[in-house]
Amino acid sequence: MTSAVAALVGNPNAGKTSLFNALTGARQKVGNYPGVTVERKVGPLKLPDGRSIEVIDLPGTYSLDPRSPDEAVTRDVVLGRQAGERVPDAIIAVIDATNLRNHLRFVLELKRLGRPMVVALNMIDLAERDGLTIDVDMLSERLGMPVVPTVAVRRRGLDALAAELAPLLDGAAAGEALPPGEIVGLQREARQLAAAVTLGQGVARRATQNIDRVVLHPVAGPVILAAILFMMFQAVFAWAEAPMTWIEDGIAAIQGWTAARLPDGLLLSLVNDGLLAGVGAVVVFLPQILILFAFIIALEQSGYMVRAAFLMDRLMARVGLNGRAFIPLLSSFACAIPGIMAARTIDEPRDRLTTMLIAPLMTCSARLPVYAVIIAAFIPDRPVGGAFNLQGLVLFGLYAFGVLGALAAAFVLRRTVTKGANQTFLMEMPKYQAPALRDFAIGLWQRAGAFLKRAGTLIMAITVILWVLVAFPQAPEGADGATQIEQSFAGRIGHAIEPIFRPIGFNDEIAIALIPGLAAREVAVAALGTVYAIQGDEAEVEQSLVERLRGAWPLPTALAFLAWYVFAPQCLATLAVAKRETNSWRWPIFMFVYLFAMAYVAAGLTFWVSSALL
Amino acid sequence: MTRIDQLAVGVPAIIVSIDRAACGDLVWRRLHEMGFDEGVDIEVLHKAPLGDPIALRVGNTTIALRRAQAALIEADISAVAVREAAE
């Protein structure tokens, strides 16, 4: 017998995901609904009577009248129309106790479905702090369903909520199904209900308003935003340094261990130069990626992200974008794939398409390994103006270059391919909240896990294929590494495409690395590692890739390579997601062509100008 | 009657009308989902740099919207005094 299913439904900002995390802990499974790219999160919950049930966390929505694929999933699951998902046995409506008027409107809408329901009156502590006293019994009586006060971030009220769920699953207390209500009528009913059950007269959200007075100040606001972003990028480099050294040393130790045990030959080469060198070159950047994710998750969970969108809207509107695009674009700094998927929250199709098309121009974390190696090899590590570091400044410049390129692209796109009227910006600004450690940890775990899964499977496969391309056909006995690379498959492909890239300063090795680098940007580092590790003699193999590149590339080539990576469509996964999200090949092909053109021009200009100057 | 894009920061008012035809059904419905409705108390809390968008207190929640949409909503400042006197 399959276990019963309860679905969490609620407005965005009701604390739904916190409640889900508190109820199910770290044992949740993240998957996808078939046919759409909406995340399906499910986790187990043990009821007081010993039964184990499944809880589904549905995407946040303001009503059952969807405007995005996420919201459509919530409606379809609740109505039992979602393919592959049974009708939930019970609905847990999560509402914000400090915003009863709006959230009760949705509860009243859900109630008309006539499904077994319980209300989690969440953030009750914040309501009390604001001086609002809510008559829970009266609310329960008037709604005709159990109401349980909860504080998800402090795990308060969870047992009571589970206890109220049990009778619902036994088929009790399903209400009468009514036709969907008209929104204004529901709003007024909700306002009356909220007024009737709210006893204290508090001043809501005073703390949040005080913070906003500073954070949204016309002058201080943008300064704070810029400072946060700048600190984020400095932290990515500074804090990750020590753990990166440990990982590098660890990989080297494993390579030494295998070298001592395996006979010299193809197998050892596959393990050390293919597998370990390839995967190691990527895993070493995990600390940086974790720090980047950590900042983005903390900004999201604290409520600051929407403020950033608010501050940025006017600027984004200049190039025909929506302030809402700020969040998908900021997520794209971690990875364009969640960024493109997050564009689903933009309800205007042209705004959404434009946002998806420029998302790959945001410097994703997969570029970091590439930037990090080139910067470490060619940019001197020296202080600038006391507080900063030249390497950090160059990295910041590359990020800024990507953002400017994205804004320019958006400006042109909105006047050509995605032409249309300017749209709205309408967003709720949630209360500020210190991110709960559990929610932060689970969020970080899930995002880092997704990244590692990609690195662990895709990149492993790619590096092995590349190793084969580089190791075969084998050169005659006694030939040196240079001869081997020259006549390998990889060398031949590199030779074939090199003429395209020669004008912008790229050599054979870069041309070889670009091909596997199409699978994911960071693979280019692994590819360069493999290409150079196999090319050199043993002493050279022991040198790190950084030192190897320093000897092999002229500075203009390195700079052109950096410029290429700011714009280049070097990620098949991004194109695949764009295909899925737009449901056609037209836009991913367009994306590839326009990004390739931008990258070629940018790398070319960089090469020609720096060759002339240096 | 004041269009709410013209309201000064910190002056409470009560929504009198939302121009459904000018909003379009989609925006009109979204505004209602966010808590806008005739009779709801509002107040401009913040203006973004360059004055657009604006952040409004709508009942107990804070909503950001562009001036272009705010201009389609009319509010009454004096109605606040009337309501307070009644309470």
Side-chain angles (χ1 to χ4, degrees):
Chain A
M1 201 192 103
T2 52
S3 53
V5 174
L8 283 165
V9 185
N11 283 21
N13 310 315
K16 198 171 48 60
T17 297
S18 282
L19 187 62
F20 177 68
N21 288 342
L23 286 172
T24 64
R27 291 163 299 164
Q28 20 184 289
K29 276 184 245 153
V30 184
N32 260 306
Y33 287 101
V36 284
T37 39
V38 179
E39 249 183 17
R40 179 185 186 275
K41 284 191 190 171
V42 63
L45 170 67
K46 202 141 194 125
L47 297 186
D49 57 17
R51 263 187 299 180
S52 186
I53 68 160
E54 282 195 328
V55 180
I56 312 175
D57 185 18
L58 291 175
T61 179
Y62 288 98
S63 74
L64 291 177
D65 180 28
R67 242 170 301 276
S68 66
D70 283 64
E71 295 182 1
V73 161
T74 299
R75 179 201 58 192
D76 290 344
V77 171
V78 165
L79 297 180
R81 291 191 208 150
Q82 177 67 43
E85 192 83 83
R86 40 190 281 233
V87 195
D89 299 285
I91 292 171
I92 306 170
V94 190
I95 65 173
D96 175 355
T98 66
N99 191 7
L100 279 187
R101 290 184 186 183
N102 272 355
H103 289 212
L104 282 178
R105 197 253 314 136
F106 191 25
V107 170
L108 292 171
E109 188 180 351
L110 289 167
K111 184 191 169 188
R112 297 175 82 93
L113 299 172
R115 306 285 311 154
M117 240 174 105
V118 56
V119 171
L121 185 63
N122 199 25
M123 306 197 224
I124 191 78
D125 57 333
L126 298 180
E128 283 160 5
R129 198 183 65 189
D130 282 345
L132 303 166
T133 313
I134 295 162
D135 186 336
V136 178
D137 293 335
M138 192 203 278
L139 181 59
S140 173
E141 192 186 311
R142 298 272 292 261
L143 284 173
M145 61 182 75
V147 175
V148 182
T150 59
V151 183
V153 291
R154 288 186 221 302
R155 306 185 59 87
R156 266 168 56 194
L158 302 183
D159 293 341
L161 185 62
E164 292 291 355
L165 263 180
L168 296 182
L169 300 172
D170 298 330
E176 186 193 349
L178 296 168
E182 188 268 327
I183 186 159
V184 175
L186 289 174
Q187 267 184 297
R188 291 178 186 168
E189 195 184 339
R191 287 210 298 276
Q192 280 172 5
L193 185 54
V197 302
T198 307
L199 304 176
Q201 278 294 334
V203 179
R205 305 158 64 93
R206 179 171 278 158
T208 289
Q209 289 184 20
N210 286 337
I211 299 173
D212 274 342
R213 254 187 276 283
V214 179
V215 167
L216 299 182
H217 186 273
V219 180
V223 173
I224 293 169
L225 176 60
I228 289 173
L229 295 180
F230 190 77
M231 197 176 79
M232 180 163 131
F233 298 130
Q234 283 285 323
V236 161
F237 253 65
W239 299 353
E241 216 173 297
M244 285 169 73
T245 314
W246 305 333
I247 293 172
E248 274 173 348
D249 292 349
I251 297 281
I254 299 170
Q255 284 172 327
W257 188 88
T258 52
R261 272 153 194 83
L262 289 175
D264 207 12
L266 264 186
L267 179 63
L268 178 64
S269 173
L270 171 64
V271 172
N272 272 7
D273 303 328
L275 294 177
L276 285 172
V279 172
V282 174
V283 173
V284 73
F285 295 102
L286 191 61
Q288 291 184 337
I289 285 149
L290 284 176
I291 291 169
L292 199 68
F293 278 146
F295 268 92
I296 287 174
I297 291 169
L299 292 178
E300 274 174 1
Q301 293 185 348
S302 64
Y304 183 75
M305 209 62 118
V306 176
R307 270 76 181 183
F310 177 76
L311 292 171
M312 295 300 291
D313 181 62
R314 190 60 210 270
L315 199 64
M316 314 267 293
R318 284 252 169 96
V319 296
L321 282 172
N322 189 303
R324 265 172 189 249
F326 187 70
I327 295 167
L329 293 178
L330 199 58
S331 304
S332 299
F333 280 114
C335 177
I337 291 165
I340 286 173
M341 283 160 57
R344 265 175 286 165
T345 58
I346 303 169
D347 37 34
E348 212 287 320
R350 283 179 300 253
D351 280 356
R352 179 170 169 237
L353 181 59
T354 314
T355 306
M356 289 194 283
L357 287 173
I358 65 166
L361 288 170
M362 298 295 120
T363 299
C364 65
S365 52
R367 283 181 180 86
L368 273 177
V370 181
Y371 290 169
V373 164
I374 308 298
I375 287 175
F378 294 95
I379 308 297
D381 183 8
R382 66 157 193 254
V384 176
F388 305 119
N389 170 292
L390 186 59
Q391 292 186 332
L393 283 178
V394 168
L395 183 70
F396 186 74
L398 290 169
Y399 275 83
F401 205 21
V403 171
L404 292 177
L407 294 179
F411 185 84
V412 174
L413 289 171
R414 281 301 258 127
R415 273 154 192 79
T416 52
V417 285
T418 57
K419 207 152 120 186
N422 248 351
Q423 290 302 314
T424 55
F425 175 76
L426 191 54
M427 277 184 107
E428 183 181 349
M429 296 181 139
K431 293 180 292 288
Y432 285 106
Q433 275 181 299
L437 187 61
R438 183 187 333 105
D439 298 332
F440 177 82
I442 290 176
L444 192 58
W445 172 254
Q446 285 172 349
R447 292 194 205 190
F451 177 85
L452 263 192
K453 215 154 103 190
R454 202 155 79 88
T457 54
L458 189 62
I459 295 169
M460 174 82 85
I462 298 286
T463 44
V464 170
I465 291 168
L466 180 75
W467 177 83
V468 171
L469 289 179
V470 172
F472 297 99
Q474 281 190 281
E477 197 81 23
D480 64 2
T483 314
Q484 171 60 33
I485 190 81
E486 278 289 309
Q487 54 87 56
S488 71
F489 294 124
R492 291 171 204 187
I493 298 170
H495 277 309
I497 63 165
E498 190 260 353
I500 302 171
F501 294 101
R502 195 187 304 140
I504 60 170
F506 288 8
N507 56 28
D508 263 2
E509 289 83 359
I510 297 177
I512 294 168
L514 288 183
I515 299 300
L518 272 174
R521 289 183 176 85
E522 65 270 32
V523 173
V525 174
L528 285 172
T530 308
V531 168
Y532 280 105
I534 292 186
Q535 194 177 15
D537 59 55
E538 257 187 75
E540 277 174 329
V541 174
E542 281 166 22
Q543 286 186 325
S544 72
L545 180 60
V546 167
E547 286 167 50
R548 192 68 191 76
L549 290 181
R550 207 175 278 160
W553 293 6
L555 184 57
T557 292
L559 297 178
F561 190 69
L562 286 177
W564 169 264
Y565 261 88
V566 172
F567 301 106
Q570 286 277 346
C571 179
L572 292 176
T574 299
L575 296 170
V577 168
K579 193 254 158 193
R580 210 161 146 196
E581 292 287 318
T582 59
N583 228 348
S584 87
W585 277 110
R586 187 176 161 209
W587 293 114
I589 289 169
F590 175 80
M591 186 190 267
F592 182 87
V593 171
Y594 105 85
L595 290 175
F596 189 96
M598 269 181 99
Y600 196 86
V601 170
L605 284 176
T606 307
F607 182 71
W608 303 321
V609 170
S610 59
S611 296
L613 295 178
L614 296 168
Chain B
M1 234 44 60
T2 316
R3 280 164 37 187
I4 62 173
D5 62 318
Q6 305 292 335
L7 276 179
V9 171
V11 178
I14 288 174
I15 297 176
V16 176
S17 69
I18 302 173
D19 189 340
R20 183 169 190 169
C23 285
D25 275 352
L26 194 120
V27 173
W28 182 86
R29 221 191 124 86
R30 200 55 149 186
L31 285 168
H32 280 271
E33 286 176 357
M34 297 280 192
F36 288 88
D37 187 18
E38 287 157 28
V40 169
D41 53 305
I42 56 158
E43 175 188 346
V44 175
L45 295 177
H46 312 282
K47 293 185 174 177
L50 309 171
D52 195 18
I54 58 178
L56 290 170
R57 180 181 59 74
V58 181
N60 276 350
T61 171
T62 309
I63 305 292
L65 81 169
R66 286 191 184 156
R67 299 183 74 103
Q69 277 75 48
L72 306 176
I73 303 169
E74 281 198 317
D76 187 354
I77 300 165
S78 58
V80 177
V82 174
R83 181 180 285 190
E84 272 166 8
E87 276 168 2

